[in-house]
Amino acid sequence: NINNEFFYGKNIEYLFPDTGSYEVFLYTVNDYGCSDTAQMDVIVHSTPAAMMSIDPEYGNPPLEVSFSTNSTGTNYFWDFGDLNSEIGSNVFHVYNNEGIYNVFLVVSNEYTCSDTAYGTVSLLPSVLDLQILAIDFIDSISLWQPQLIIYNNSTRPVKKMQIDFGFDNFNEFVYLWNQRLEIGQIERIKLPLLLNSNDKQSSFCTKITAIDVIDQNDVSIDDNFLCASLSDSLYIMKLFNNDNYLNLWINTPSEGRLSCKVVNILGQTLFSSDVIDTSVGMNKYKIPTNNLSTGIYILQINYDDKILTRIFYL
């Protein structure tokens, strides 16, 4: 009799459904009707659930990696995959050579119950390329919540991002994102901010930075920041110099055609662009300035026969 279930035979197997103490009774009878009874308590202990955290998972050698676990147990054995091992719940290890290392953690308790978790550390050349594809505004009871659409174009996953955002610049608020963005994955991240109707004329700007990456820069930082607007007005939101280019951010109320030119203080045209098709909302353009000397210039924007001007300095 095990757990109020009866079995017959000299040798049986039984799977206990849960942890706890169970009474087991054995009844024996011989050919002459003589019988006897034996009783034993069987205690079923819980098995540890092994889990691990690796930070960072990617990098270049020499790379110090932190290994930690929240698993409940009494013994923790780490195998780092490079013929080295360590004992402890939170340990560090330095990898000195390129390669992909398969790591495992064995967690055991005082009853010799154990479980194993697995992970990988990659020390290989990788490319970091995060991209903000768009900013949406989600209607939330007459308020608007910004949502970023982010694409991981890297050759490595990213687990931690810092998102800076604000009005007309991205230095007002900071949001830390701690999940996992796999290679080629698109993630929609709602920011902890609600906009009202008074904010419709403002430009909302955001910037993303991977913060779990060591000694590696994003290959295209232009894709790391983006501005958007709820306004249906035509206006120049931002104008700044960067790497021999004048970066133009302009909000357009509808699809249209845009051209621009750069004029000096004498009225001479030094640069004239081709006609560009625009989309609704915030549009980004780059105007080359490497042939311009230090001085004062005027940027003229022609959008569907509407003219905007802005003075800038080099």
Side-chain angles (χ1 to χ4, degrees):
N1 181 346
I2 305 175
N3 200 26
N4 294 321
E5 296 182 56
F6 291 90
F7 302 89
Y8 298 90
K10 193 173 182 180
N11 299 291
I12 65 169
E13 293 182 359
Y14 181 79
L15 179 64
F16 292 92
D18 203 351
T19 59
S21 178
Y22 298 85
E23 284 187 316
V24 179
F25 296 91
L26 171 64
Y27 306 95
T28 60
V29 181
N30 64 16
D31 294 339
Y32 305 102
C34 300
S35 64
D36 196 12
T37 302
Q39 184 272 337
M40 177 179 288
D41 291 331
V42 175
I43 299 176
V44 179
H45 300 285
S46 61
T47 299
M51 60 188 75
M52 69 167 68
S53 177
I54 303 175
D55 188 28
E57 295 180 7
Y58 281 73
N60 297 308
L63 180 69
E64 183 179 61
V65 180
S66 168
F67 299 90
S68 60
T69 181
N70 292 323
S71 306
T72 301
T74 56
N75 297 290
Y76 306 88
F77 174 81
W78 297 87
D79 188 307
F80 301 122
D82 63 349
L83 303 180
N84 289 288
S85 60
E86 185 67 81
I87 294 174
S89 57
N90 300 289
V91 298
F92 294 88
H93 182 62
V94 176
Y95 290 91
N96 293 305
N97 299 300
E98 287 189 355
I100 298 176
Y101 298 93
N102 296 314
V103 180
F104 68 85
L105 165 67
V106 179
V107 180
S108 58
N109 59 22
E110 63 269 32
Y111 308 109
T112 68
C113 302
S114 64
D115 191 28
T116 304
Y118 302 89
T120 303
V121 177
S122 299
L123 275 77
L124 296 172
S126 61
V127 174
L128 176 65
D129 185 15
L130 293 176
Q131 301 176 2
I132 304 178
L133 300 182
I135 302 174
D136 292 335
F137 295 97
I138 302 172
D139 191 355
S140 177
I141 315 177
S142 299
L143 297 174
W144 301 91
Q145 183 176 19
Q147 175 181 260
L148 303 188
I149 302 177
I150 297 176
Y151 174 59
N152 185 11
N153 193 43
S154 312
T155 59
R156 51 154 298 163
V158 173
K159 295 195 298 182
K160 298 178 183 179
M161 285 188 294
Q162 177 174 314
I163 303 175
D164 300 274
F165 57 96
F167 296 102
D168 297 328
N169 66 76
F170 42 75
N171 296 320
E172 293 186 70
F173 308 100
V174 175
Y175 176 64
L176 298 179
W177 184 85
N178 293 286
Q179 296 186 36
R180 187 181 180 92
L181 192 61
E182 298 290 351
I183 300 170
Q185 180 181 348
I186 294 177
E187 182 75 11
R188 287 169 170 81
I189 301 176
K190 294 180 180 179
L191 297 179
L193 180 71
L194 293 176
L195 309 179
N196 57 41
S197 57
N198 295 328
D199 299 318
K200 290 185 66 175
Q201 300 303 317
S202 298
S203 299
F204 180 81
C205 298
T206 185
K207 175 185 177 182
I208 56 172
T209 306
I211 57 176
D212 66 323
V213 179
I214 297 177
D215 299 329
Q216 192 172 15
N217 297 318
D218 200 294
V219 295
S220 180
I221 60 173
D222 287 345
D223 297 328
N224 294 164
F225 58 91
L226 188 64
C227 293
S229 177
L230 290 169
S231 172
D232 55 3
S233 301
L234 173 67
Y235 68 94
I236 297 174
M237 177 261 160
K238 188 180 282 286
L239 199 66
F240 61 96
N241 300 311
N242 184 31
D243 295 333
N244 296 322
Y245 284 94
L246 184 68
N247 292 269
L248 168 66
W249 295 58
I250 183 169
N251 190 70
T252 56
S254 60
E255 294 182 351
R257 311 200 76 192
L258 177 147
S259 64
C260 61
K261 64 180 180 178
V262 175
V263 179
N264 64 15
I265 58 176
L266 300 177
Q268 300 170 322
T269 299
L270 305 179
F271 171 81
S272 182
S273 75
D274 296 329
V275 176
I276 306 167
D277 292 326
T278 65
S279 57
V280 179
M282 198 65 64
N283 293 264
K284 281 196 308 183
Y285 302 104
K286 280 188 171 185
I287 301 169
T289 59
N290 53 312
N291 293 326
L292 302 180
S293 58
T294 302
I296 302 173
Y297 297 91
I298 300 172
L299 175 66
Q300 294 182 353
I301 304 295
N302 186 324
Y303 171 77
D304 287 351
D305 297 326
K306 298 180 180 69
I307 304 296
L308 296 177
T309 61
R310 180 71 66 86
I311 296 175
F312 67 95
Y313 304 86
L314 292 179

